[in-house]
Amino acid sequence: INPSNCTRCNTEQSVLLLLLKVTTASNTTMVEYKKEGKPVERRGRLTVVLGLATFISTFGSSFQYGYNVAVINSPSEFMQQFYNTTYMERYNSPMEEDFLTLLWSLSVSMFPLGGFFGSIMVAPLVNKLGRKGTLLFNNIFAIVPAVMMGVSEIAKTYEIIIVARFIVGICAGLSSNVVPMYLGELAPKNLRGALGIVPQLFITIGILSAQVLGIRHILGNSTGWTLLLGLTGIPAVIELLLLPFFPESPRYMLIQKGDEKTAKKALQRLRGWEDVDTELLEMRLEEQSEKAEGRLTVLNLLSQRSLRWQLISIIVMNMGQQLSGVNAIYYYADSIYGSAGVRENDIQYVTVGTGAVNVFMTIAAVFIVEASGRRLLLLCGFGICCVACVVLTIALNFQDTVTWMPYVSIACVIIYVIGHAIGPSPIPYVVATEMFRQTARPAAFMVAGSVHWLSNFTVGLVFPFLERGLGPYSFIIFSFICLVTLIYIWIVVPETKNKTFLEICQMFAKRNKVEIKLDAGDLPLKESKESLEDAVKVTAF
């Protein structure tokens, strides 16, 4: 039956809703018709299976990223004492200050460098092992360095810490890309934004956990710092034990592995109902569309015209996320709190409070992203960060001469954290998942992840020199980057809320000056606002 031959109903009468149910047994497409007052779409819900899969994957993987970003800040003094003592025991002379600074810089910078190499590994691993399989494999890069860092003091070697930081960076690089990809493919489209923010939520929870455990009278002291570093292995062990009981990405199983039976069973578990044929059909349409264009590899992604603006968009958003000054804000936070009269011993508690604000606002983003949309949160977030950086520059210049100005500085730090938490931090991962179809998504995440970690590494490398040369005026550079990113998003990035992956590709097709087709001779896929009566011809699968 060809849908284009159906008799059109008058607008005042019942419309004809096409329920497409595809069977492959006889290599034909069967179409059923059902009369309804209007087309009604079945909305996905957060089932127990979907909720637990989200929790276990984010706690076991995303948490690692946040925890290891912040974990060495509190015990840095004691770790450097250990470096110096170990060196003296080996060579019977104290370590030179420049060499100690170099070792400490390596201990910090090996983490983002490992993250970059982890991002490069994303595409081959997720295509070979699957999304869930890659997350399970990734636990090696968390458990092994956890043991290494935990025994470093007993082994009397600081080199093992530097190597372990690089390895756990690989873990963070993989998890920061694979978890959003996995959840984006598990989630129904009406929950894709909310679940896509959960990885960032657990990153902030990881940061907060490291800050709390790093308080001096807990583990941030001379006797507890090795345990503090080694705790990163516990979430990985939990994920390794529990995640095998949850389904692999149905899209990966159907589109990339051709296993429709497993994909259908996974969808039924995730959705909580038996009839998943409509969603399977959407996946098959995506598969047909990709066959028409050809399977994308990492190497030809950069030259693919149909994905040009999507690729530019994720690069701009990831650069904007990392170059917007978030690391510089945290760098200045302690001195800002001190200048406002906070006692040195109490600054650690205020820092924990800032981390709690970050967590709270990310939780808020989870609940508002499906109502407000991705684009609005990105625009508001970068706008808030831009204004906060400008005001902070003014406040830092006058805080020694105006008595109340330090409190303005504190307010700017908190406002900046709020702005970054609702948009720039979580949303780029969500949008990166939605802008690309199945076979292009791993390569796209590899590019996005590489840009993310290289930008992170660059900020860590360059900011100390910027701070020394420009002082508080360095925030003007960050405000300019926020403004440029905001303008780009305003002009180029569309709203992707409640759209299928194919519909989002069609939204970009006009800007890319291409047509998205289902097969070599078929018509372009219509936009979602058009009725199913006007839908494209569906070929047999």
Side-chain angles (χ1 to χ4, degrees):
I1 302 173
N2 190 337
S4 63
N5 294 331
C6 298
T7 304
R8 294 178 177 275
C9 299
N10 295 328
T11 53
E12 290 141 5
Q13 297 174 339
S14 299
V15 298
L16 193 62
L17 174 63
L18 304 181
L19 297 177
L20 304 175
K21 293 192 174 180
V22 182
T23 60
T24 57
S26 60
N27 199 33
T28 59
T29 301
M30 299 180 65
V31 183
E32 295 181 5
Y33 296 91
K34 180 181 176 182
K35 285 199 173 183
E36 296 281 348
K38 59 179 180 179
V40 178
E41 184 179 1
R42 196 171 192 179
R43 291 174 62 83
R45 56 195 174 91
L46 186 64
T47 59
V48 173
V49 173
L50 181 58
L52 287 176
T54 301
F55 173 77
I56 292 167
S57 61
T58 51
F59 176 65
S61 295
S62 301
F63 182 90
Q64 306 282 1
Y65 180 179
Y67 187 84
N68 286 288
V69 161
V71 73
I72 65 170
N73 292 341
S74 295
S76 60
E77 175 188 344
F78 306 105
M79 290 176 69
Q80 290 180 62
Q81 286 177 5
F82 165 68
Y83 287 12
N84 199 18
T85 303
T86 304
Y87 186 89
M88 185 171 283
E89 288 177 359
R90 288 182 189 175
Y91 305 109
N92 296 319
S93 64
M95 185 182 290
E96 292 181 7
E97 188 174 344
D98 288 345
F99 187 55
L100 178 60
T101 303
L102 174 62
L103 286 178
W104 185 247
S105 298
L106 286 172
S107 301
V108 174
S109 61
M110 281 297 106
F111 181 72
L113 188 63
F116 170 71
F117 281 96
S119 297
I120 292 175
M121 296 164 61
V122 168
L125 284 178
V126 296
N127 287 329
K128 181 72 175 177
L129 303 178
R131 282 62 167 149
K132 186 182 81 169
T134 301
L135 291 177
L136 292 172
F137 175 75
N138 192 34
N139 289 312
I140 297 172
F141 299 116
I143 296 170
V144 171
V147 174
M148 291 169 67
M149 291 187 286
V151 302
S152 58
E153 191 174 28
I154 298 172
K156 294 185 178 181
T157 171
Y158 47 76
E159 293 89 351
I160 199 173
I161 296 176
I162 296 171
V163 174
R165 288 282 294 173
F166 177 79
I167 297 172
V168 82
I170 294 174
C171 169
L174 280 166
S175 65
S176 65
N177 291 287
V178 180
V179 176
M181 190 189 307
Y182 178 57
L183 296 183
E185 294 178 8
L186 291 188
K189 66 180 181 181
N190 60 296
L191 294 177
R192 205 165 54 219
L195 293 187
I197 292 178
V198 175
Q200 180 63 32
L201 172 61
F202 273 83
I203 290 173
T204 62
I205 291 173
I207 293 172
L208 180 60
S209 300
Q211 290 170 339
V212 170
L213 293 173
I215 291 173
R216 288 286 184 267
H217 66 266
I218 302 181
L219 291 176
N221 50 56
S222 60
T223 58
W225 66 267
T226 51
L227 178 59
L228 180 66
L229 296 180
L231 286 177
T232 189
I234 294 177
V237 171
I238 293 172
E239 181 180 46
L240 195 60
L241 293 175
L242 297 181
L243 192 61
F245 296 101
F246 293 88
E248 176 59 272
S249 161
R251 287 181 175 275
Y252 171 77
M253 295 308 300
L254 179 62
I255 298 175
Q256 291 185 249
K257 304 299 287 184
D259 190 345
E260 183 176 340
K261 183 178 179 182
T262 304
K264 184 173 183 177
K265 190 178 296 184
L267 270 178
Q268 289 170 338
R269 288 185 65 196
L270 290 164
R271 301 294 177 260
W273 54 63
E274 293 295 315
D275 184 10
V276 293
D277 289 344
T278 302
E279 200 164 351
L280 285 172
L281 172 63
E282 186 263 318
M283 293 182 193
R284 292 193 190 98
L285 290 174
E286 182 177 341
E287 182 183 27
Q288 285 293 99
S289 174
E290 292 191 333
K291 283 180 180 177
E293 290 185 352
R295 300 275 179 172
L296 289 179
T297 65
V298 177
L299 293 177
N300 65 20
L301 176 68
L302 297 173
S303 61
Q304 189 74 19
R305 184 175 176 180
S306 63
L307 298 173
R308 183 175 299 164
W309 282 101
Q310 294 97 307
L311 193 62
I312 294 171
S313 296
I314 63 168
I315 289 172
V316 170
M317 285 187 287
N318 276 277
M319 287 183 70
Q321 179 196 62
Q322 289 300 306
L323 302 179
S324 60
V326 62
N327 296 321
I329 288 285
Y330 283 113
Y331 177 88
Y332 259 95
D334 286 0
S335 63
I336 290 170
Y337 298 147
S339 66
V342 180
R343 290 181 300 177
E344 188 174 346
N345 282 342
D346 294 337
I347 287 176
Q348 58 183 334
Y349 301 107
V350 181
T351 302
V352 168
T354 307
V357 170
N358 197 6
V359 172
F360 176 78
M361 292 311 301
T362 309
I363 292 173
V366 171
F367 289 100
I368 65 176
V369 66
E370 295 299 350
S372 64
R374 290 76 156 129
R375 190 168 180 268
L376 180 62
L377 288 182
L378 282 169
L379 292 172
C380 289
F382 277 110
I384 291 169
C385 291
C386 179
V387 173
C389 283
V390 172
V391 177
L392 182 60
T393 303
I394 298 169
L396 289 172
N397 276 284
F398 288 98
Q399 68 178 7
D400 292 331
T401 55
V402 181
T403 54
W404 47 267
M405 199 59 78
Y407 301 102
V408 176
S409 300
I410 291 178
C412 286
V413 170
I414 294 172
I415 290 169
Y416 181 96
V417 168
I418 290 171
H420 213 273
I422 64 170
S425 282
I427 304 300
Y429 295 109
V430 178
V431 176
T433 301
E434 295 178 326
M435 283 184 176
F436 296 90
R437 286 173 290 169
Q438 190 69 22
T439 53
R441 197 171 293 128
F445 265 91
M446 194 210 79
V447 173
S450 299
V451 170
H452 171 98
W453 287 101
L454 278 177
S455 300
N456 187 318
F457 182 75
T458 301
V459 169
L461 197 64
V462 173
F463 178 70
F465 298 100
L466 272 180
E467 192 273 331
R468 189 183 304 169
L470 298 176
Y473 289 104
S474 56
F475 287 101
I476 293 294
I477 297 174
F478 298 131
S479 67
F480 176 74
I481 292 171
C482 289
L483 180 62
V484 170
T485 309
L486 186 152
I487 292 170
Y488 178 88
I489 293 168
W490 177 270
I491 295 172
V492 176
V493 178
E495 180 54 65
T496 57
K497 180 182 73 172
N498 281 335
K499 299 287 193 298
T500 67
F501 295 123
L502 269 176
E503 288 167 353
I504 294 165
C505 280
Q506 187 67 28
M507 290 164 68
F508 274 99
K510 186 176 180 181
R511 186 174 291 277
N512 289 321
K513 298 180 181 178
V514 297
E515 281 189 330
I516 304 296
K517 295 186 176 183
L518 294 185
D519 212 334
D522 293 338
L523 296 170
L525 184 70
K526 304 290 185 183
E527 291 185 8
S528 59
K529 64 183 180 182
E530 296 181 69
S531 70
L532 287 175
E533 295 173 279
D534 299 324
V536 296
K537 180 178 69 179
V538 181
T539 56
F541 296 97

